[in-house]
Amino acid sequence: MLTETALADLRAVFGARLSTARAVLDAHAQSESLVSGPPPEAVVWPESTAEVAELARLSDRHGFALVGWGAGTSLEGHALALAGGVTVDFTRMDKVLSVHPEDMTAVVQPGITRERLNEELRATGLFFPVDPGANATLGGMAATRASGTAAVRYGTMRGNVLGLEVVLAGGEVIRTGTAAPKSSAGYDLTGLIVGSEGTLGLITELTLRLHGQPEAVSAAVCAFDSMAHAVDCVIATIQSGVPMARIEFLDAATVAAVNAYSRLDLPVAPQLLVEFHGSPDGVTEQAARFGDIATGFGATGFQWARAPEDRKKLWAARHAAYRAILASRPGSRAIVTDACVPISALAVAVEETAADIAASGLPGPILGHVGDGNFHAILMVREGDAEEAATAKALAHRMAERALRLGGTITGEHGIGFGKKGLMAAEHGATWAAMGRIKAALDPKGLMNPGKLVP
Amino acid sequence: MLTETALADLRAVFGARLSTARAVLDAHAQSESLVSGPPPEAVVWPESTAEVAELARLSDRHGFALVGWGAGTSLEGHALALAGGVTVDFTRMDKVLSVHPEDMTAVVQPGITRERLNEELRATGLFFPVDPGANATLGGMAATRASGTAAVRYGTMRGNVLGLEVVLAGGEVIRTGTAAPKSSAGYDLTGLIVGSEGTLGLITELTLRLHGQPEAVSAAVCAFDSMAHAVDCVIATIQSGVPMARIEFLDAATVAAVNAYSRLDLPVAPQLLVEFHGSPDGVTEQAARFGDIATGFGATGFQWARAPEDRKKLWAARHAAYRAILASRPGSRAIVTDACVPISALAVAVEETAADIAASGLPGPILGHVGDGNFHAILMVREGDAEEAATAKALAHRMAERALRLGGTITGEHGIGFGKKGLMAAEHGATWAAMGRIKAALDPKGLMNPGKLVP
């Protein structure tokens, strides 16, 4: 609860960069998920680490909660102010602080979006490869351990954050990691903070690992007569050592939605979309080898592309998928849920999930980053229809439980937030309590994003 | 201090698999480092997780320390029983529990060595790529976050351990991670335990990420007229996107030692040794592109090899380096220390270190995994010569401080143990105290490898 004294102390620090206006509070209570929560009591826009540290000292003194906010694109209610308090909007801390081309690293503030970062990097020949779809902020992506389409080649945020500056509860500022490519000097606190969803501290600076823009890119699309054949093709390609930069699966329902939306006539069948990054000769060879493997699993309707505009057309189905699915049922929201399983269990996981969705009566196309065993169901729920919302929640819950039964995890990339907290005990057992002990050690008063992730 | 009651309780669990024999205790007080410590009071050889959990319960009840032991190859005194207590020798928990070729994972016990693991994997077409040089155990490699020559391509233990079973202080058994390739379900406790050097718990099982054995391998060796040219060549090769599997640097002193030891006549100059993994056409192209880049930096004396026996000959200098350096000064021990810096600082770091060593009068060749910015000095110290030992310690200390000054870390892969604990505050500042809070949260009585890593 934000007292008048606390508010006065906050105003002294943030002045006009503090707001308690209803519209502002409500804008920071939006969520892409089915989870809803109360608005925060105030929103502040810090411009420096020192201000975030002062904010944490005031939080400690007055006992109000702090919730980080980037682009508001998280899917499990991560940034909802469940216990009120102050939402820390990082959009004014959005600078690239330095780029080190020789070391292939950049130091950035948390509020920069991944698209703007890559625009600023364009002239360097380098890029930051983690692409969760949404134009999220780097701070949010680190906090939720985001991944996306290119993770099969370049890894997730876990592997692409070298170091962090973090404001802990109470206002202490720590630095984790160094600018060296690796270290074995003590606990990997960078890795602990990445994915901690704001519950251990607020990220105020990130040192990122960059990658060389590929000299050549080759892309392909092909169709399969079953999900199982598509997945077996993925397994065989990975095992053959062909380095895929992306490999995405679309189910027949997704393709049908895209056909209707984009006036295409793609075969209404499970599809794989792949992309190869490398030298011109390298990607030619990789594409050819993929073609041989896919043909062996009955793939048909191959299309290939190298020029950027042709690749864009080829991937149109993937890029339009979300909008196409939304448009397929006007008046509905798309509830996106994810799970991740060992690759060997992917066909079973997707087929059982598809059958479960079909039996529910809700439309729910499935697509995913199959090279990682990660897939999404896009469940269509009519606005304001409580029964459909309950059905969607139950489907998402069963999809997560199915992933656990198959040796996987309740979420490959969307995180826990508030939406999946009820599944943490099922995934982690006694390990969840250990997470709680770490949380209590670093945030004994429970002021950092309370109500999320930990018991 | 191990009381008679505690010893009796331990005997009831371990019977003949407990020893207090002087020779056994002394064998577990050996270290590859300059650091020495007292022997443990007892050694036990558990055969199951349940036994390790019971051991942790007894440790908690009687207040004795637990120190894990794998192959005894760590370099900073990690496995020395500084506070007495019981050394937990994992050599009887050395099984491959399961291999999952489709998922490219294996579940192993901590006591298996990396060479035996790869022997057992040979028929599957898969291998585990982390190669720290020594034939260490996987449990020890995870505990110390080992890396080595192939990390530039395949990553370190951090990226190649998917999940762990860990016995915490007090005897609770937790599981971290899943068999899925990635997860965003909560704190990355796998990443926290990897590199925690036994201070947070004892690893009793590991789920490892495997990789496909490369279809083709190509290797090359070439010489440069200066360290700076060799390093610039590495930077240019990385930025060009040529995927190197290994890239090792040897300084002129190392080459001279190898020439004398192996009766070779390699040019006594800085050398790079590289290896490419991929398809036959792929490695041919990669090797050619490396050749072009290296020639641009003045490389000479190129030798190339593809057949395993030819590659072995080509890499003879690297493989013989440690023995050659040892043989170069009979009656001396080799003290191996490491540091890691951003690649852009590598030439300066190595050149200043070489000058410092030269000024000291001790022989100290330098070699390293330059693709990671990681390098080693092999300092030769006459057995029992306290003055030389002090000189070597001071050199190692300055090498670590230099790495920090250049934005790097005091150790890229050897870890902290006891040997580098005095440098942790310099690297981490307030962050070191945060590590201590996590340690206290998971091991409040300080029974897990006391005296190491944390404040």
Side-chain angles (χ1 to χ4, degrees):
Chain A
M1 196 53 201
L2 212 52
T3 61
E4 278 310 311
T5 330
L7 212 48
D9 282 356
L10 284 166
R11 279 226 173 78
V13 178
F14 292 98
R17 288 183 283 110
L18 176 144
S19 176
T20 55
R22 178 52 43 200
V24 168
L25 302 183
D26 286 347
H28 289 83
Q30 302 299 314
S31 164
E32 297 279 331
S33 74
L34 270 182
V35 185
S36 56
E41 296 164 85
V43 177
V44 297
W45 287 263
E47 291 184 341
S48 68
T49 300
E51 285 185 353
V52 179
E54 181 58 24
L55 180 62
R57 280 189 288 273
L58 293 178
S59 150
D60 184 67
R61 187 181 314 150
H62 298 290
F64 59 81
L66 293 178
V67 184
W69 184 274
T73 53
S74 74
L75 292 166
E76 298 292 351
H78 296 79
L80 294 178
L82 297 182
V86 175
T87 289
V88 191
D89 188 319
F90 280 103
T91 46
R92 280 169 177 255
M93 289 178 70
D94 65 344
K95 310 281 177 301
V96 175
L97 298 175
S98 57
V99 180
H100 308 273
E102 289 200 332
D103 296 321
M104 301 173 80
T105 60
V107 182
V108 305
Q109 289 186 311
I112 191 167
T113 63
R114 65 174 182 83
E115 288 179 5
R116 246 213 40 237
L117 172 61
N118 278 324
E119 276 162 33
E120 297 209 16
L121 290 173
R122 196 164 296 157
T124 64
L126 302 168
F127 79 117
F128 186 72
V130 182
D131 172 5
N135 188 21
T137 61
L138 269 295
M141 287 165 63
T144 56
R145 205 184 299 131
S147 50
T149 55
V152 67
R153 166 83 181 242
Y154 298 100
T156 73
M157 287 303 282
R158 181 178 173 230
N160 286 290
V161 176
L162 277 172
L164 295 169
E165 180 187 74
V166 183
V167 173
L168 299 180
E172 188 165 39
V173 182
I174 64 167
R175 286 193 164 269
T176 72
T178 71
K182 66 181 188 187
S183 171
S184 57
Y187 302 160
D188 179 10
L189 294 194
T190 306
L192 182 67
I193 300 290
V194 170
S196 66
E197 303 187 352
T199 62
L200 298 178
L202 290 163
I203 297 169
T204 48
E205 191 186 294
L206 305 91
T207 302
L208 304 173
R209 191 189 293 274
L210 306 178
H211 299 259
Q213 289 168 12
E215 199 186 341
V217 177
S218 174
V221 174
C222 58
F224 292 83
D225 64 1
S226 73
M227 170 66 197
H229 283 155
V231 170
D232 287 343
C233 172
V234 174
I235 295 172
T237 310
I238 292 173
Q239 290 203 324
S240 75
V242 178
M244 292 170 289
R246 305 179 201 266
I247 183 153
E248 295 284 303
F249 168 79
L250 306 183
D251 74 354
T254 303
V255 176
V258 170
N259 276 347
Y261 181 75
S262 303
R263 297 182 193 179
L264 299 171
D265 55 353
L266 298 166
V268 180
Q271 289 199 0
L272 284 184
L273 298 89
V274 290
E275 197 172 279
F276 305 98
H277 292 180
S279 68
D281 289 352
V283 299
T284 300
E285 189 204 356
Q286 289 156 22
R289 295 180 75 204
F290 172 75
D292 288 346
I293 293 168
T295 302
F297 289 98
T300 54
F302 277 95
Q303 296 181 64
W304 305 90
R306 291 186 78 147
E309 57 280 12
D310 298 337
R311 281 190 278 117
K312 214 169 174 179
K313 256 185 246 165
L314 212 62
W315 278 67
R318 177 68 183 93
H319 291 136
Y322 186 72
R323 289 191 307 280
I325 291 165
L326 261 183
S328 69
R329 204 189 191 214
S332 284
R333 285 181 75 177
I335 304 303
V336 189
T337 187
D338 92 311
C340 191
V341 294
I343 304 264
S344 63
L346 185 60
V348 171
V350 171
E351 281 168 357
E352 286 188 17
T353 301
D356 196 17
I357 294 171
S360 78
L362 280 193
I366 292 174
L367 60 169
H369 318 312
V370 281
D372 292 323
N374 190 194
F375 65 102
H376 307 270
I378 303 187
L379 304 167
M380 301 303 294
V381 175
R382 234 175 288 277
E383 288 281 3
D385 186 326
E387 200 180 319
E388 285 201 353
T391 303
K393 276 188 191 175
L395 282 169
H397 195 88
R398 288 198 295 276
M399 179 167 139
E401 287 178 329
R402 190 174 299 117
L404 289 181
R405 210 167 59 235
L406 294 166
T409 172
I410 56 176
T411 172
E413 58 182 18
H414 292 179
I416 299 305
F418 181 67
K420 281 191 170 163
K421 207 175 142 184
L423 287 151
M424 284 292 276
E427 172 153 345
H428 295 292
T431 310
W432 198 30
M435 293 183 197
R437 287 157 74 182
I438 292 167
K439 160 78 172 177
L442 294 182
D443 179 19
K445 296 183 183 173
L447 299 169
M448 289 289 177
N449 206 3
K452 314 289 169 56
L453 197 141
V454 284
Chain B
M1 197 51 205
L2 212 53
T3 61
E4 277 310 312
T5 331
L7 211 49
D9 282 355
L10 284 166
R11 280 227 172 76
V13 178
F14 292 97
R17 289 184 281 110
L18 176 145
S19 176
T20 54
R22 178 51 44 201
V24 168
L25 302 184
D26 286 347
H28 289 83
Q30 301 300 313
S31 164
E32 296 280 331
S33 72
L34 270 183
V35 185
S36 57
E41 296 164 86
V43 177
V44 298
W45 287 263
E47 290 183 341
S48 68
T49 300
E51 285 185 354
V52 179
E54 181 58 24
L55 181 62
R57 281 189 288 273
L58 294 179
S59 150
D60 184 67
R61 187 181 314 151
H62 297 292
F64 59 81
L66 294 177
V67 184
W69 183 274
T73 53
S74 72
L75 292 166
E76 297 292 351
H78 297 78
L80 294 178
L82 297 183
V86 175
T87 290
V88 191
D89 187 320
F90 280 103
T91 47
R92 279 169 178 253
M93 289 179 71
D94 65 344
K95 311 282 179 299
V96 175
L97 297 175
S98 58
V99 180
H100 307 273
E102 289 200 331
D103 297 321
M104 300 173 78
T105 59
V107 181
V108 306
Q109 290 185 310
I112 191 168
T113 63
R114 65 173 183 84
E115 287 179 5
R116 243 210 45 235
L117 172 61
N118 278 324
E119 276 162 33
E120 296 208 16
L121 290 173
R122 195 165 296 158
T124 63
L126 301 169
F127 79 116
F128 186 73
V130 183
D131 171 5
N135 188 21
T137 62
L138 269 296
M141 286 165 65
T144 55
R145 205 185 298 131
S147 50
T149 56
V152 67
R153 165 84 181 241
Y154 298 99
T156 72
M157 287 303 281
R158 179 177 174 230
N160 287 289
V161 176
L162 277 171
L164 295 169
E165 181 187 73
V166 182
V167 173
L168 299 180
E172 189 166 36
V173 182
I174 64 167
R175 285 192 165 271
T176 72
T178 71
K182 67 182 186 186
S183 172
S184 56
Y187 302 159
D188 179 10
L189 294 194
T190 305
L192 181 66
I193 301 290
V194 170
S196 66
E197 305 187 352
T199 62
L200 298 178
L202 291 162
I203 296 168
T204 49
E205 192 185 294
L206 305 92
T207 302
L208 303 174
R209 192 189 292 274
L210 306 178
H211 298 259
Q213 289 167 11
E215 201 185 337
V217 176
S218 175
V221 174
C222 57
F224 292 83
D225 63 1
S226 74
M227 170 65 196
H229 283 156
V231 169
D232 287 343
C233 172
V234 173
I235 294 173
T237 310
I238 292 173
Q239 289 203 326
S240 75
V242 177
M244 292 170 290
R246 305 180 201 267
I247 184 153
E248 296 284 304
F249 169 79
L250 306 184
D251 74 353
T254 302
V255 177
V258 170
N259 275 346
Y261 181 74
S262 302
R263 297 183 192 177
L264 298 171
D265 55 354
L266 299 167
V268 180
Q271 289 200 0
L272 285 183
L273 299 90
V274 290
E275 197 172 277
F276 305 99
H277 291 180
S279 68
D281 288 353
V283 299
T284 300
E285 189 204 355
Q286 288 156 22
R289 295 180 76 202
F290 172 75
D292 287 347
I293 294 167
T295 303
F297 290 97
T300 55
F302 278 95
Q303 295 181 64
W304 305 90
R306 291 187 74 147
E309 57 279 14
D310 297 338
R311 280 190 280 120
K312 215 167 173 180
K313 256 185 244 163
L314 212 61
W315 278 67
R318 176 69 182 92
H319 292 135
Y322 186 72
R323 289 191 306 280
I325 292 166
L326 261 182
S328 70
R329 203 190 192 213
S332 284
R333 284 180 76 176
I335 303 304
V336 189
T337 188
D338 92 312
C340 191
V341 294
I343 304 265
S344 63
L346 185 60
V348 171
V350 172
E351 281 169 356
E352 286 187 17
T353 301
D356 196 17
I357 294 171
S360 79
L362 281 194
I366 292 174
L367 61 169
H369 318 312
V370 280
D372 292 323
N374 190 194
F375 65 102
H376 307 270
I378 303 187
L379 305 167
M380 301 302 294
V381 175
R382 235 176 287 277
E383 286 281 4
D385 186 326
E387 200 181 321
E388 284 201 352
T391 303
K393 276 186 189 176
L395 283 169
H397 195 89
R398 287 197 297 274
M399 179 166 138
E401 287 179 327
R402 189 173 300 118
L404 290 180
R405 211 168 57 233
L406 294 166
T409 173
I410 55 176
T411 171
E413 59 182 19
H414 292 178
I416 299 305
F418 181 67
K420 280 192 170 162
K421 207 175 144 186
L423 287 151
M424 283 293 275
E427 172 152 345
H428 296 292
T431 310
W432 198 30
M435 293 184 196
R437 287 156 75 181
I438 292 168
K439 160 77 172 179
L442 295 182
D443 178 19
K445 297 184 182 172
L447 299 169
M448 290 290 176
N449 206 3
K452 314 289 169 58
L453 196 141
V454 284

Coordinates of all heavy atoms in Angstrom, one line a residue, chain A residues 213-264:
Chain A
Q213 N 26.1 -11.0 -38.7 CA 25.0 -11.2 -39.7 C 25.4 -12.2 -40.7 O 26.5 -12.1 -41.3 CB 24.7 -9.8 -40.4 CG 24.1 -8.8 -39.4 CD 24.0 -7.4 -40.1 OE1 24.3 -7.2 -41.2 NE2 23.7 -6.4 -39.2
P214 N 24.5 -13.2 -41.0 CA 25.0 -14.2 -41.9 C 25.2 -13.7 -43.3 O 24.5 -12.8 -43.8 CB 23.8 -15.2 -41.9 CG 22.6 -14.4 -41.4 CD 23.2 -13.4 -40.5
E215 N 26.3 -14.2 -43.9 CA 26.6 -13.8 -45.3 C 25.5 -14.2 -46.2 O 25.2 -13.4 -47.1 CB 28.0 -14.5 -45.6 CG 28.8 -13.9 -46.7 CD 30.0 -14.8 -47.0 OE1 30.3 -15.7 -46.1 OE2 30.5 -14.7 -48.1
A216 N 25.0 -15.4 -46.0 CA 23.9 -15.9 -46.9 C 22.9 -16.5 -46.1 O 23.2 -17.1 -45.0 CB 24.5 -16.9 -47.9
V217 N 21.7 -16.4 -46.5 CA 20.5 -17.1 -45.9 C 19.7 -17.8 -46.9 O 19.5 -17.3 -48.0 CB 19.6 -16.0 -45.2 CG1 18.4 -16.7 -44.6 CG2 20.4 -15.2 -44.1
S218 N 19.3 -19.0 -46.6 CA 18.5 -19.8 -47.5 C 17.3 -20.3 -46.7 O 17.5 -20.7 -45.5 CB 19.3 -21.0 -48.1 OG 18.5 -21.8 -48.8
A219 N 16.1 -20.3 -47.3 CA 14.9 -20.7 -46.6 C 14.2 -21.7 -47.5 O 14.3 -21.8 -48.7 CB 14.0 -19.5 -46.3
A220 N 13.4 -22.6 -46.8 CA 12.6 -23.6 -47.5 C 11.3 -23.8 -46.7 O 11.2 -23.6 -45.5 CB 13.4 -24.9 -47.6
V221 N 10.3 -24.2 -47.5 CA 9.0 -24.6 -46.9 C 8.6 -25.9 -47.6 O 8.9 -26.1 -48.8 CB 7.9 -23.6 -47.2 CG1 6.5 -24.1 -46.7 CG2 8.2 -22.3 -46.5
C222 N 8.1 -26.9 -46.8 CA 7.6 -28.1 -47.4 C 6.5 -28.6 -46.5 O 6.3 -28.2 -45.3 CB 8.7 -29.1 -47.6 SG 9.5 -29.6 -46.1
A223 N 5.7 -29.5 -47.1 CA 4.5 -30.1 -46.4 C 4.7 -31.6 -46.1 O 5.4 -32.3 -46.9 CB 3.2 -29.8 -47.2
F224 N 4.0 -32.1 -45.1 CA 4.1 -33.5 -44.7 C 2.7 -34.0 -44.6 O 1.7 -33.3 -44.3 CB 4.8 -33.6 -43.4 CG 6.3 -33.3 -43.5 CD1 6.7 -32.0 -43.4 CD2 7.2 -34.3 -43.7 CE1 8.0 -31.6 -43.5 CE2 8.6 -33.9 -43.8 CZ 9.0 -32.6 -43.7
D225 N 2.6 -35.4 -44.7 CA 1.2 -35.9 -44.5 C 0.8 -36.2 -43.1 O -0.3 -36.5 -42.8 CB 1.0 -37.2 -45.4 CG 1.9 -38.3 -45.0 OD1 2.7 -38.1 -44.0 OD2 1.9 -39.4 -45.6
S226 N 1.8 -36.0 -42.2 CA 1.4 -36.1 -40.8 C 2.4 -35.4 -39.9 O 3.6 -35.1 -40.3 CB 1.4 -37.6 -40.3 OG 2.8 -38.1 -40.2
M227 N 2.0 -35.0 -38.7 CA 2.8 -34.4 -37.7 C 4.0 -35.3 -37.4 O 5.1 -34.8 -37.3 CB 2.0 -34.2 -36.5 CG 2.7 -33.7 -35.3 SD 3.4 -32.1 -35.5 CE 4.7 -32.1 -34.2
A228 N 3.8 -36.6 -37.3 CA 4.9 -37.5 -36.9 C 6.0 -37.4 -37.9 O 7.2 -37.4 -37.6 CB 4.3 -38.9 -36.7
H229 N 5.6 -37.4 -39.3 CA 6.7 -37.4 -40.3 C 7.4 -36.0 -40.2 O 8.7 -36.0 -40.4 CB 6.0 -37.6 -41.7 CG 5.7 -39.0 -41.9 ND1 4.7 -39.4 -42.8 CD2 6.2 -40.1 -41.4 CE1 4.6 -40.7 -42.8 NE2 5.5 -41.2 -42.0
A230 N 6.7 -35.0 -40.0 CA 7.4 -33.7 -39.9 C 8.4 -33.7 -38.7 O 9.6 -33.3 -38.9 CB 6.4 -32.6 -39.7
V231 N 8.0 -34.2 -37.6 CA 8.9 -34.2 -36.4 C 10.1 -35.2 -36.6 O 11.2 -34.9 -36.3 CB 8.1 -34.6 -35.1 CG1 9.1 -34.9 -34.0 CG2 7.1 -33.5 -34.8
D232 N 9.8 -36.4 -37.2 CA 10.9 -37.3 -37.5 C 11.9 -36.6 -38.4 O 13.1 -36.9 -38.3 CB 10.4 -38.6 -38.1 CG 9.6 -39.4 -37.1 OD1 9.8 -39.2 -35.9 OD2 8.9 -40.3 -37.5
C233 N 11.4 -35.8 -39.4 CA 12.3 -35.1 -40.3 C 13.2 -34.1 -39.5 O 14.4 -34.0 -39.7 CB 11.5 -34.4 -41.3 SG 12.5 -33.3 -42.4
V234 N 12.6 -33.5 -38.5 CA 13.4 -32.5 -37.7 C 14.5 -33.3 -36.9 O 15.6 -32.8 -36.9 CB 12.5 -31.8 -36.7 CG1 13.3 -30.9 -35.7 CG2 11.5 -30.9 -37.4
I235 N 14.1 -34.4 -36.3 CA 15.1 -35.1 -35.5 C 16.2 -35.6 -36.4 O 17.4 -35.4 -36.1 CB 14.4 -36.4 -34.9 CG1 13.4 -35.9 -33.8 CG2 15.4 -37.3 -34.3 CD1 12.5 -37.1 -33.3
A236 N 15.9 -36.1 -37.6 CA 16.9 -36.6 -38.5 C 17.8 -35.5 -38.9 O 19.1 -35.7 -39.0 CB 16.3 -37.3 -39.7
T237 N 17.3 -34.3 -39.2 CA 18.1 -33.2 -39.6 C 19.0 -32.7 -38.5 O 20.2 -32.5 -38.8 CB 17.2 -32.0 -40.1 OG1 16.2 -32.5 -41.0 CG2 18.0 -30.9 -40.8
I238 N 18.5 -32.6 -37.3 CA 19.4 -32.2 -36.2 C 20.5 -33.2 -36.0 O 21.7 -32.9 -35.9 CB 18.6 -32.1 -34.9 CG1 17.6 -31.0 -35.0 CG2 19.5 -32.0 -33.7 CD1 16.6 -30.9 -33.8
Q239 N 20.2 -34.5 -36.1 CA 21.2 -35.5 -35.8 C 22.2 -35.6 -36.9 O 23.4 -36.0 -36.7 CB 20.5 -36.9 -35.7 CG 19.7 -37.0 -34.4 CD 19.6 -38.4 -33.9 OE1 19.4 -39.3 -34.7 NE2 19.6 -38.6 -32.6
S240 N 21.8 -35.2 -38.1 CA 22.8 -35.2 -39.3 C 23.8 -34.1 -39.1 O 24.7 -34.0 -39.9 CB 22.0 -35.1 -40.6 OG 21.6 -33.7 -40.7
G241 N 23.5 -33.2 -38.2 CA 24.5 -32.1 -38.0 C 24.2 -30.9 -38.9 O 25.0 -29.9 -38.9
V242 N 23.2 -30.9 -39.7 CA 22.9 -29.7 -40.5 C 22.5 -28.6 -39.6 O 21.5 -28.7 -38.9 CB 21.8 -30.0 -41.5 CG1 21.4 -28.8 -42.4 CG2 22.2 -31.1 -42.5
P243 N 23.3 -27.5 -39.6 CA 23.0 -26.4 -38.6 C 21.8 -25.5 -39.1 O 22.0 -24.6 -39.9 CB 24.3 -25.6 -38.6 CG 24.9 -25.9 -39.9 CD 24.4 -27.2 -40.4
M244 N 20.6 -25.8 -38.6 CA 19.5 -24.9 -38.9 C 19.5 -23.7 -38.1 O 19.7 -23.7 -36.9 CB 18.2 -25.7 -38.7 CG 18.0 -26.9 -39.6 SD 16.7 -28.0 -39.1 CE 17.4 -28.7 -37.6
A245 N 19.1 -22.6 -38.7 CA 19.0 -21.3 -38.0 C 17.6 -21.2 -37.4 O 17.4 -20.6 -36.3 CB 19.3 -20.1 -38.9
R246 N 16.6 -21.7 -38.1 CA 15.2 -21.7 -37.6 C 14.6 -23.0 -38.2 O 14.9 -23.4 -39.3 CB 14.4 -20.5 -38.1 CG 15.0 -19.2 -37.9 CD 14.1 -18.1 -38.5 NE 14.8 -16.9 -38.7 CZ 14.8 -15.8 -37.8 NH1 14.2 -15.9 -36.7 NH2 15.5 -14.8 -38.1
I247 N 13.7 -23.6 -37.4 CA 12.8 -24.6 -38.0 C 11.5 -24.6 -37.2 O 11.4 -24.9 -36.0 CB 13.5 -26.0 -37.9 CG1 12.6 -27.0 -38.6 CG2 13.9 -26.5 -36.6 CD1 13.3 -28.2 -39.2
E248 N 10.5 -24.2 -38.0 CA 9.2 -23.9 -37.4 C 8.2 -24.9 -38.0 O 8.2 -25.3 -39.2 CB 8.7 -22.5 -37.8 CG 9.6 -21.4 -37.2 CD 9.3 -21.2 -35.8 OE1 8.2 -20.9 -35.4 OE2 10.3 -21.3 -35.0
F249 N 7.2 -25.3 -37.1 CA 6.1 -26.1 -37.5 C 4.8 -25.4 -37.5 O 4.6 -24.6 -36.6 CB 6.1 -27.3 -36.5 CG 4.8 -28.1 -36.7 CD1 4.7 -29.1 -37.7 CD2 3.7 -28.0 -35.8 CE1 3.6 -29.9 -37.8 CE2 2.6 -28.7 -35.9 CZ 2.5 -29.7 -37.0
L250 N 4.0 -25.6 -38.6 CA 2.6 -25.1 -38.6 C 1.7 -26.3 -38.8 O 2.0 -27.1 -39.6 CB 2.4 -24.1 -39.7 CG 3.4 -22.9 -39.9 CD1 2.9 -22.1 -41.1 CD2 3.4 -22.1 -38.7
D251 N 0.6 -26.3 -38.0 CA -0.3 -27.4 -38.2 C -1.3 -27.0 -39.3 O -1.3 -25.9 -39.8 CB -1.0 -27.9 -36.9 CG -2.1 -26.9 -36.5 OD1 -2.2 -25.8 -37.0 OD2 -2.8 -27.3 -35.5
A252 N -2.1 -28.0 -39.8 CA -3.0 -27.8 -40.9 C -4.0 -26.7 -40.6 O -4.3 -25.9 -41.5 CB -3.7 -29.1 -41.2
A253 N -4.4 -26.6 -39.3 CA -5.4 -25.5 -39.0 C -4.8 -24.1 -39.2 O -5.4 -23.2 -39.6 CB -5.9 -25.7 -37.5
T254 N -3.5 -24.0 -38.8 CA -2.8 -22.7 -39.0 C -2.7 -22.4 -40.5 O -3.0 -21.3 -40.9 CB -1.4 -22.8 -38.4 OG1 -1.5 -23.1 -37.0 CG2 -0.6 -21.5 -38.5
V255 N -2.3 -23.4 -41.3 CA -2.2 -23.2 -42.7 C -3.6 -22.7 -43.3 O -3.6 -21.8 -44.1 CB -1.6 -24.4 -43.4 CG1 -1.6 -24.2 -44.9 CG2 -0.3 -24.7 -42.9
A256 N -4.6 -23.4 -42.9 CA -6.0 -23.0 -43.4 C -6.3 -21.6 -43.0 O -6.8 -20.8 -43.9 CB -7.0 -24.0 -42.8
A257 N -6.0 -21.2 -41.8 CA -6.2 -19.8 -41.4 C -5.4 -18.8 -42.2 O -6.0 -17.8 -42.7 CB -5.9 -19.6 -39.9
V258 N -4.2 -19.2 -42.5 CA -3.3 -18.3 -43.3 C -3.9 -18.2 -44.7 O -3.9 -17.1 -45.3 CB -1.9 -18.8 -43.3 CG1 -1.1 -18.0 -44.3 CG2 -1.3 -18.6 -41.9
N259 N -4.3 -19.3 -45.3 CA -4.8 -19.3 -46.7 C -6.0 -18.4 -46.8 O -6.1 -17.6 -47.7 CB -5.3 -20.7 -47.1 CG -4.2 -21.6 -47.6 OD1 -3.1 -21.1 -47.9 ND2 -4.4 -22.9 -47.7
A260 N -6.9 -18.5 -45.8 CA -8.1 -17.6 -45.8 C -7.7 -16.1 -45.6 O -8.2 -15.3 -46.3 CB -9.1 -18.0 -44.7
Y261 N -6.8 -15.9 -44.8 CA -6.4 -14.5 -44.4 C -5.6 -13.8 -45.5 O -5.8 -12.7 -45.9 CB -5.6 -14.5 -43.1 CG -5.2 -13.2 -42.6 CD1 -6.1 -12.3 -42.0 CD2 -3.8 -12.8 -42.7 CE1 -5.6 -11.1 -41.5 CE2 -3.4 -11.5 -42.2 CZ -4.3 -10.7 -41.6 OH -3.9 -9.5 -41.1
S262 N -4.6 -14.6 -46.1 CA -3.7 -14.0 -47.0 C -4.0 -14.4 -48.5 O -3.2 -14.1 -49.4 CB -2.2 -14.4 -46.7 OG -1.9 -14.1 -45.4
R263 N -5.1 -15.0 -48.7 CA -5.6 -15.5 -50.0 C -4.4 -16.3 -50.7 O -4.0 -16.0 -51.8 CB -6.0 -14.3 -50.9 CG -7.2 -13.7 -50.3 CD -7.7 -12.5 -51.1 NE -8.7 -11.8 -50.3 CZ -9.3 -10.7 -50.7 NH1 -9.1 -10.2 -52.0 NH2 -10.2 -10.0 -50.0
L264 N -3.9 -17.3 -50.0 CA -2.9 -18.2 -50.5 C -3.6 -19.5 -50.7 O -4.7 -19.7 -50.3 CB -1.8 -18.4 -49.5 CG -1.0 -17.1 -49.2 CD1 0.0 -17.4 -48.0 CD2 -0.2 -16.6 -50.4

